[in-house]
Amino acid sequence: MNTQPTQQTDGTDDEEAALKDIRESALADVGFDDSRASIEAKQAGADMDTTEALLNEVGVSNIQSKLGCEDDSANLVSEIEKMATGSSKYEAGSIGQAKNVLETSEAAPNKNPNSVAVANTALASGKASAIDNLGREPMNGNVEPLEVGESFLAKRGLSSNTPADDFSSEIMPLPSGESLQHVMLQSTLTDPGAHAMPGMYHPRDNHVQRDNQTDTAEASLVPTRTDHNHHGGTEGPLIVANMVMDTSAGELHRAEEVTQEELQRKKRQSSMALSIAGFLAAGFLAIAVLVLVLLLALRQDSDDGAFAGDMAHQIPQNETLPPRPMTAEERMLSLLPDFTISKLNDIDSPQNRSFEWIIQDPLFDNYTDHRILQRYGFATFYYATGGGTKSYWYSDDHWLSYDHHECDWYVKNINHYHDYVISENWSKPVGPCDYNVNEPFVSATPQQMEEGGIYQHLWLYNHELGGYIPEELSLVSTLKSILLLKNQIKGSIPSHLGMLSDLEALFLYSNDLSGTLPTELGMLPNITYIWSMANPGLTGSLPSEIAQLTTLKQFLTDSCNLTGQIPSELGLMSNLEFFWAWSNPLTGTLPTELGLMTSMRRFGLWNCTLSGSIPAEMGMMESMDELAFDDNPKMVGTVPSELGMLSKLTTLHFGGTSLTGTVPTEITQLPLGSLFLHNSGLSGSLPSELGLLSGLWRLWLFNSSFTGTLATEFGSWQSLEYMRLQNNQFSGPIPSEIGRFENLTELLLHGNFFTGTVPKELGLLQKLTDLSVSNNSLTGSIDPALCELGSWLTEGATGIQVDCDLVDCSCDVCVCD
């Protein structure tokens, strides 16, 4: 179908009109229309005009057909995408497409050895024509060399240097009224092969260089315009290149004509490839967006929404964001231990109430971590022990006040406790924070409170505290002393108190504590005093871990319900001075390792259920001042004579045991002030050397099996206040030297075999309130001076108990037995 273009007054418009007609005619021949070509060109992503896409598309399709190539949609799509970079690169794109087509043709089963010439000629002609009709200048003033043919020829044993005789050339004039593009398209569609097309071209530099063996012809085709704007070109015939025959290839096969259906199929495949590529690209883009959104969401959750949205992509990857300031809640949670955090779910718990209180403190952000934990620990203690209620706390002035330093929260003064239990080496604090020992706490300035306000002493003894001691008290890590004695505190002793490395004194006696003594107490490196006595609810055994407390001086846990044996590890406590565990159902024997406790001063285990004998090794406890095993009826054996080595012993209490034998004379060398040998199986006479115990003030020998007489040497007991010798087998007269015991208030001699009369010297005992001489063999009468003692008027005085049938007693203070 030939349609002549309509001529316009302007040369450029005429050509464009002619090209349009040729384009429509060519497309109609292959089943396309102009709009379809435009759509396909846009789908290929090209931003060149429709003419360029059409020429490229149709030319490539025909070259494939002429070369016997298989359909290669992927290569076509790839080349079309390359051309999409801009119309200025059209020429290079065309040659690139030719390369891909030629490379593809090499693998085709019906490849044509003459396809190089066909492709080169067709592409050169189509390229030059396109440049001419589009009004563009060739790159660098020359058509790009078709070096792609060289590669293809080399693979077949040919080259562009093949002698010119192998190529036939003839002059083919351009038909009148026909454009180069139209003729080229018609030729390629109707008569496959390579043709030299006549047109407005002439050789720019047509020469042949020959050497001895090779002729080389290089032709640079320069477009010549016939419009009014461009001149200088000359019309002339173009060389027609006959197909080069490969003599080794046999008969050449003619490429099949491409039908309209085949072209449409290829277009659909190309379109499908582009659609799949677009779909995959869109899929990857969607995945990337989703990953970015998830990362931003995670970042937003962790940073509480500080950075979100489009701001994320503005952050340089090589920069680190400054940390976002924590909220009060976050800061508290970062400081609190797990054992506290686990209790915050209970909104009524002391821990949660303290949490809510402290995060609302206006000065929260100004506090150091230590101050936060200190205030929180005391707030939890306040709520846990009944603070804020009418039932507990005698006074809670300033407690949980935002306006007062915790060093100004109310505590008690303990001066009188220091006089009794605190050694002179422990400085006497004047306030809970103990930063100014020379001035009362109340005189401290706010600056002093801030600079030195480290809480050290919690003194709330006898303060009507209830509830329990929370583990959070251990968060006040600088505590040196805790005095909570004589309250109504229940629950167990928190094991976390073992974390208080500065703690020196723990006084918890006279409460209602239960549970066991925590082994963690053995972790206190500076502890000096542990008083847990008078808590009947305390059970379990004595933890051997306390032997690790090398600084411990006093361990008092009497009047509880501890069981088990005395740990032999106690012998390792070389600094322990005071050990009381009486009134506990402890069992077993005393370990001999106790003799290693050379610093021990007071060792008390009375009213227990101990068995066995008293280790002789205890005579090595050279610092011993008080040794008491009273009321252990299962203890047997004798009083070790080695105890006479305890040169500092003032108290020896073995009453209520099953000890036997006699009183060893070695103990008469001791500075004893109190000697208890009552309710035992001891027997024999008392050594007269006991008279050397000038400092003796209590002598309890009742309910035993002592015999003999009382030596007159006993008259040297000038300090004696209590003399209980009843229910023994003493005999002989009552020594008149007893009248010298000016401090004597109690004289019990009944149940023996004393004879003679009641000494009238007893009338000198101005402090005597209890005299019992019944159940003896005494006779005579009571001296009136004895009846007139004013001490009988003292409250609690019992008078004189006598055998009225044997002794005459006419005064009102006599009580007949």
Side-chain angles (χ1 to χ4, degrees), residues 397-416:
D397 290 348
H398 301 320
W399 274 78
L400 272 64
S401 170
Y402 292 140
D403 299 328
H404 290 82
H405 193 287
E406 54 272 28
C407 291
D408 197 26
W409 295 354
Y410 176 82
V411 294
K412 287 191 172 183
N413 189 294
I414 59 167
N415 282 336
H416 62 284

Side-chain angles (χ1 to χ4, degrees), residues 563-613:
T563 58
Q565 297 185 351
I566 304 298
S568 61
E569 290 83 354
L570 289 182
L572 301 175
M573 305 180 72
S574 59
N575 289 317
L576 190 62
E577 299 177 356
F578 200 170
F579 179 79
W580 275 4
W582 48 270
S583 293
N584 282 286
L586 296 171
T587 58
T589 59
L590 296 175
T592 58
E593 289 81 357
L594 294 178
L596 300 175
M597 305 172 73
T598 56
S599 297
M600 180 60 64
R601 295 175 52 219
R602 297 180 180 178
F603 193 90
L605 285 173
W606 66 89
N607 195 27
C608 297
T609 55
L610 297 174
S611 59
S613 60

Side-chain angles (χ1 to χ4, degrees), residues 349-494:
S349 67
Q351 291 77 12
N352 188 67
R353 294 174 68 185
S354 300
F355 186 92
E356 295 297 333
W357 170 79
I358 197 166
I359 63 175
Q360 297 176 30
D361 192 330
L363 298 177
F364 181 87
D365 292 336
N366 297 332
Y367 296 147
T368 63
D369 291 350
H370 170 80
R371 283 286 307 281
I372 289 175
L373 290 176
Q374 185 167 275
R375 291 174 72 87
Y376 178 81
F378 280 135
T380 306
F381 171 81
Y382 176 78
Y383 287 124
T385 54
T389 66
K390 295 181 179 180
S391 301
Y392 299 101
W393 280 67
Y394 177 79
S395 174
D396 59 359
D397 290 348
H398 301 320
W399 274 78
L400 272 64
S401 170
Y402 292 140
D403 299 328
H404 290 82
H405 193 287
E406 54 272 28
C407 291
D408 197 26
W409 295 354
Y410 176 82
V411 294
K412 287 191 172 183
N413 189 294
I414 59 167
N415 282 336
H416 62 284
Y417 284 98
H418 280 283
D419 297 337
Y420 179 57
V421 300
I422 304 301
S423 69
E424 56 201 23
N425 295 326
W426 199 49
S427 61
K428 188 178 296 187
V430 296
C433 290
D434 194 21
Y435 53 82
N436 187 355
V437 298
N438 297 320
E439 297 181 15
F441 171 73
V442 293
S443 68
T445 65
Q447 181 177 358
Q448 287 176 319
M449 292 171 62
E450 288 295 332
E451 292 178 351
I454 299 177
Y455 210 104
Q456 294 180 325
H457 307 288
L458 178 62
W459 307 321
L460 289 171
Y461 62 92
N462 195 22
H463 201 61
E464 300 179 5
L465 301 182
Y468 67 97
I469 302 172
E471 293 175 315
E472 286 71 20
L473 187 59
S474 63
L475 300 179
V476 189
S477 59
T478 55
L479 278 173
K480 284 190 174 181
S481 65
I482 299 176
L483 273 70
L484 301 178
L485 51 102
K486 296 185 178 180
N487 281 292
Q488 304 171 40
I489 299 174
K490 300 180 182 297
S492 61
I493 299 174

